[in-house]
Amino acid sequence: MKKTSLDINLLMLSKDTIASIILFSIVSFFLGSCKLGVEENEQKGSESEVTDFKEVPQWSKEAIWYQIYVERFRNGDKTNDPRPEDIVEGYPGFVPESWTITPWTQDWYTEDPYFKDVEGKLDIAGDKMVHFNQISRLRRYGGDLQGVLDKVDYLDSLGINAIYFNPLNDAPTDHKFDARNWRHIDRNFGPDPSGDVQLIAEETPDNPATWVMTGADSLFLKLVDKLHKKGIKVIMDYSWNHTGLGFWAWKDLMKNQQNSKYKDWYWVKQFDDPDTPENEFAYDGWFGVKDLVQIKETKYIEHKGGSYIFDGNLASETVKQHIFNVATKWLDPNGDGDPSDGIDGYRLDVCAELPLGFWREFRKVVRSVNPDAYLVGETWFEVYPNSMMNPEPMLRGDVFDAVMNYRWFKAARELFTDKITPEAFTDSIKRITDNLSLDHNFAMMNVSASHDTPRLTTSLYNKESKYKYQVSPSKEFDYKIDKPDKEALQTTKLFLAHQFTYVGAPQIWQGDEMGMWGADMGDTRKPVIWPDYNFEDESVHPVGRERDPDEVKFNHDLFTYYQDLIALRKANPVLNTGRIEFLQLDGVSDVVAYRRFLDDDAMLIILNMANEPQNIPLVSQFWGKDYLGNAKMIEKKGVEMVQLPARSAAIFSNQNPNP
């Protein structure tokens, strides 16, 4: 299919052209002049059709993503909780004898009893452990797959239809990016950690013919089946860029040095000389992180000064084949050629730190197993903390279907925290979409928060802060960690009205729909606040400052708002694959207005960014009632207008909005 950009246009409207507005509205919304062309209609093929290699899966344009970080989602089985021996090879490189599981409902900033046995010690990088965010990385809460199984009905009631799981591979940390192995689900996520360890030990790691299904593997496939029966797609998160210190190939290399059959898997600077008393062994970790050991590419790229997309491949054919074998396992678990029992795609971590040649091969392998699989990459900063990467080289149909759309979120956050004008926001949107095809724009994962960023409401609450820069509490920066106020919640609702009506698939970070708050990692990774739990108030500040206690409680009003927006998006295909046109309103400031249009359907979205009510000079009789119930229709000098309260949104349709 020919590459076609979104063509985001500006429609200039003035009070002197009301007659033209009426004519435009009649023509556009009743006579169908806003129809997509033949080329765009062709991409609406049924889900049963086989997706062309270069095209994105149709379902990805209709996705409403929910991101799950299993260790902090829900503890459904206390018998599999992590033990000291399960976390020994993770950060900080040791486990204090007094270590225990952290109670789920404990005040987040309350120090665990074992903290006193850690403070002042050196971590694996040689840094003294003095900050809460260092020591708290030892915490485990016991979240597991049974906890997710127990809450499938909750997820279904929310309305989401796609889940992005943070890494599930066996690993010692809470985040699981430091894999012990890629081929199995984490031992503590399943029903029998000890039994799984024994099964894994009996395998030959680089020979898939010896691989078995562990208890955790089988439980994950049971979960996939249950989610699929609810109409919910599943993708897994993998980082092929690095492994942990406990990874079987790395341990062999450490033992056998240059005689290891895996010596070409990693970036080793220098092997140990057995004839000297010193240990000269030196290696590269991802961005210098010692417990994330970097896989070797055909050429070395230094990313510390800035990241960029580059060509090349992995240096070792055997590590590449191992990756392909692991990916194939989860796409078609029983190997019968029918991928319906497997996952629906992958989220690829730090994808710009791996070469395009590898990713092109990876796509071929994945699509050969499941032609409808979705691949989404994590591209983020080009130069931290301001310049973001242009993902276009990865979105030409031969690498990924989409990326995590941090560029959209950065622009949107700047708009909703009053850092840029609506005009500047529109310019930003045009800049980040114009060089991408319609399909790739529709398939974008529009990230609002994640395990790597402050929670959405907290980010909007801290209006003066930058995005992803000094966004955690410290003695140098007065970042607000308390419960966001009513103004921040109102701005959150305004933001969400945009996210769920904008181009691309909206994403929810677990717990945001419940009203959770939290600063940058790891404060964004608090355990989820289920309504059947009684949580301690948050009253402790990590650097000893005074703070008023905050009640930690499920926000039912916000949850219902999410439900309503999800239902609205699912009921209106125009929000999935309709074009977008921004409307620039003459004589009205602090308003963002745009319409989505597809065939004979059209929707109008108005965002009042001002701190006072505004009258919007748009013809209202063609739109019926506001889906959100915020707008009031008034007549001023014979002209019908939309009156919107301060910091609120309205959504209209040319179809019946209230059937």
Side-chain angles (χ1 to χ4, degrees):
M1 183 179 293
K2 180 183 176 182
K3 182 175 176 179
T4 309
S5 73
L6 264 177
D7 294 335
I8 296 178
N9 301 311
L10 290 177
L11 178 63
M12 305 297 293
L13 301 177
S14 70
K15 294 178 181 179
D16 297 325
T17 58
I18 295 298
S20 297
I21 296 172
I22 296 174
L23 178 60
F24 173 80
S25 299
I26 294 172
V27 173
S28 295
F29 305 129
F30 284 98
L31 299 183
S33 66
C34 292
K35 291 182 181 179
L36 293 176
V38 173
E39 180 178 78
E40 285 74 29
N41 283 326
E42 289 175 350
Q43 53 185 310
K44 294 170 61 181
S46 68
E47 193 171 339
S48 61
E49 295 176 358
V50 175
T51 304
D52 182 87
F53 179 81
K54 292 186 177 181
E55 302 303 326
V56 309
Q58 175 66 24
W59 68 262
S60 68
K61 308 172 199 174
E62 302 163 3
I64 298 162
W65 290 101
Y66 191 87
Q67 181 183 345
I68 293 181
Y69 193 91
V70 170
E71 215 281 322
R72 305 292 162 85
F73 186 72
R74 188 173 176 96
N75 189 341
D77 180 0
K78 294 187 182 298
T79 67
N80 63 9
D81 287 354
R83 306 155 297 184
E85 59 264 34
D86 294 320
I87 68 172
V88 291
E89 291 163 326
Y91 181 89
F94 63 90
V95 182
E97 289 186 9
S98 56
W99 181 89
T100 57
I101 289 284
T102 303
W104 197 274
T105 59
Q106 175 180 296
D107 179 353
W108 173 253
Y109 288 114
T110 295
E111 294 186 357
D112 295 60
Y114 65 82
F115 276 32
K116 66 181 185 302
D117 299 324
V118 176
E119 189 170 0
K121 290 189 176 181
L122 300 182
D123 67 11
I124 192 170
D127 297 324
K128 185 176 289 188
M129 300 181 68
V130 293
H131 300 300
F132 174 85
N133 279 350
Q134 289 174 296
I135 303 174
S136 64
R137 288 173 63 182
L138 272 163
R139 279 183 172 172
R140 303 293 183 276
Y141 287 84
D144 49 38
L145 291 176
Q146 187 59 52
V148 183
L149 271 161
D150 293 344
K151 288 299 178 180
V152 168
D153 287 343
Y154 166 85
L155 297 168
D156 188 45
S157 73
L158 178 60
I160 59 97
N161 57 16
I163 289 176
Y164 145 37
F165 280 104
N166 274 111
L168 300 171
N169 51 223
D170 193 35
T173 59
D174 62 296
H175 58 71
K176 309 300 176 190
F177 286 104
D178 56 336
R180 278 184 292 241
N181 72 77
W182 284 323
R183 67 193 188 277
H184 292 295
I185 303 298
D186 187 79
R187 61 188 66 170
N188 298 112
F189 288 167
D192 185 11
S194 297
D196 285 358
V197 170
Q198 184 174 349
L199 286 172
I200 293 169
E202 293 171 356
E203 296 175 335
T204 302
D206 57 1
N207 181 5
T210 69
W211 297 355
V212 298
M213 285 290 176
T214 64
D217 294 347
S218 297
L219 190 63
F220 174 62
L221 295 179
K222 178 182 176 181
L223 173 60
V224 170
D225 180 63
K226 187 171 182 178
L227 291 167
H228 279 174
K229 287 176 178 175
K230 294 284 188 179
I232 299 173
K233 300 287 188 179
V234 176
I235 67 170
M236 297 174 75
D237 190 350
Y238 268 99
S239 182
W240 310 124
N241 174 262
H242 47 260
T243 72
L245 298 172
F247 197 85
W248 53 273
W250 177 253
K251 292 174 78 170
D252 183 276
L253 187 150
M254 290 288 289
K255 176 182 178 181
N256 297 308
Q257 295 288 304
Q258 58 264 46
N259 295 320
S260 171
K261 61 189 291 190
Y262 310 111
K263 65 180 183 298
D264 294 329
W265 281 34
Y266 296 95
W267 280 111
V268 177
K269 294 180 178 179
Q270 184 177 351
F271 288 104
D272 179 43
D273 183 350
D275 296 328
T276 66
E278 298 82 18
N279 185 356
E280 296 91 352
F281 185 76
Y283 65 92
D284 274 326
W286 176 75
F287 273 81
V289 179
K290 286 300 196 181
D291 50 324
L292 298 178
V293 193
Q294 193 170 341
I295 298 295
K296 187 177 182 180
E297 302 97 348
T298 50
K299 59 181 177 180
Y300 183 78
I301 303 293
E302 177 59 70
H303 295 287
K304 289 182 181 179
S307 294
Y308 59 91
I309 297 169
F310 63 102
D311 225 315
N313 215 310
L314 300 188
S316 168
E317 286 296 321
T318 57
V319 72
K320 189 163 55 176
Q321 188 56 54
H322 181 69
I323 289 169
F324 296 162
N325 289 336
V326 172
T328 299
K329 170 181 177 175
W330 298 118
L331 291 165
D332 183 11
N334 62 8
D336 66 351
D338 178 4
S340 61
D341 58 335
I343 65 168
D344 304 288
Y346 288 99
R347 180 265 190 188
L348 290 319
D349 184 61
V350 295
C351 62
E353 275 105 77
L354 284 169
L356 288 173
F358 164 72
W359 288 127
R360 293 187 184 105
E361 290 187 47
F362 184 77
R363 182 179 184 85
K364 289 178 182 177
V365 169
V366 169
R367 284 297 187 93
S368 70
V369 180
N370 183 354
D372 212 32
Y374 171 75
L375 296 179
V376 55
E378 182 206 27
T379 60
W380 209 340
F381 291 102
E382 185 175 56
V383 179
Y384 179 81
N386 295 315
S387 174
M388 288 197 166
M389 191 177 300
N390 178 4
E392 190 275 335
M394 291 182 162
L395 299 175
R396 297 174 181 173
D398 60 343
V399 179
F400 301 135
D401 302 299
V403 297
M404 299 177 74
N405 204 356
Y406 291 113
R407 294 196 299 168
W408 159 78
F409 177 77
K410 182 176 183 292
R413 183 187 180 275
E414 289 174 346
L415 172 70
F416 289 97
T417 55
D418 305 320
K419 287 184 169 60
I420 60 174
T421 64
E423 293 77 17
F425 171 69
T426 303
D427 288 344
S428 294
I429 292 299
K430 187 175 179 63
R431 185 171 61 253
I432 66 178
T433 57
D434 268 7
N435 65 341
L436 305 179
S437 74
L438 276 168
D439 265 8
H440 289 109
N441 276 301
F442 291 148
M444 285 289 190
M445 182 186 285
N446 287 344
V447 181
S448 55
S450 77
H451 62 293
D452 280 334
T453 71
R455 287 194 171 272
L456 175 60
T457 306
T458 294
S459 184
L460 298 175
Y461 184 36
N462 287 271
K463 295 175 64 173
E464 302 305 318
S465 72
K466 284 187 175 183
Y467 172 56
K468 192 60 182 170
Y469 178 70
Q470 291 187 326
V471 285
S472 61
S474 71
K475 294 179 181 178
E476 294 76 33
F477 190 77
D478 193 19
Y479 194 79
K480 293 185 286 189
I481 61 170
D482 57 315
K483 185 175 183 176
D485 58 20
K486 290 182 179 179
E487 179 184 341
L489 280 170
Q490 184 65 28
T491 299
T492 298
K493 288 186 174 182
L494 184 62
F495 175 95
L496 292 171
H498 169 61
Q499 182 189 18
F500 279 83
T501 58
Y502 179 63
V503 175
Q507 170 265 6
I508 304 165
W509 166 227
Q510 66 177 35
D512 272 4
E513 81 284 2
M514 303 177 180
M516 291 184 69
W517 66 89
D520 204 11
M521 55 178 186
D523 298 349
T524 190
R525 303 175 185 178
K526 296 175 185 177
V528 170
I529 56 171
W530 297 105
D532 58 328
Y533 290 172
N534 293 316
F535 284 79
E536 295 179 3
D537 288 350
E538 282 196 12
S539 59
V540 177
H541 196 287
V543 294
R545 297 175 185 159
E546 292 293 325
R547 63 175 291 190
D548 294 328
D550 287 311
E551 184 181 28
V552 179
K553 191 175 181 180
F554 189 101
N555 186 327
H556 291 278
D557 174 70
L558 187 59
F559 177 80
T560 300
Y561 188 74
Y562 270 92
Q563 281 182 313
D564 291 344
L565 287 173
I566 290 170
L568 173 70
R569 189 172 180 99
K570 291 169 79 171
N572 292 275
V574 64
L575 296 177
N576 298 322
T577 55
R579 285 179 176 269
I580 189 170
E581 183 173 54
F582 282 85
L583 315 176
Q584 187 168 324
L585 309 178
D586 185 28
V588 180
S589 59
D590 296 325
V591 171
V592 174
Y594 52 91
R595 65 188 184 96
R596 301 290 305 278
F597 54 96
L598 174 67
D599 296 333
D600 295 323
D601 295 342
M603 300 193 79
L604 171 68
I605 298 90
I606 308 173
L607 310 172
N608 180 15
M609 310 298 301
N611 292 318
E612 61 275 332
Q614 293 212 78
N615 299 329
I616 316 299
L618 287 178
V619 181
S620 61
Q621 63 261 37
F622 298 118
W623 300 96
K625 295 181 180 179
D626 168 23
Y627 275 102
L628 301 180
N630 294 323
K632 179 181 178 182
M633 303 307 171
I634 64 170
E635 188 172 307
K636 192 172 182 181
K637 295 182 180 180
V639 177
E640 287 192 348
M641 308 182 84
V642 176
Q643 185 179 75
L644 266 180
R647 308 290 288 181
S648 68
I651 303 172
F652 301 99
S653 172
N654 69 333
Q655 307 297 316
N656 181 7
N658 297 298

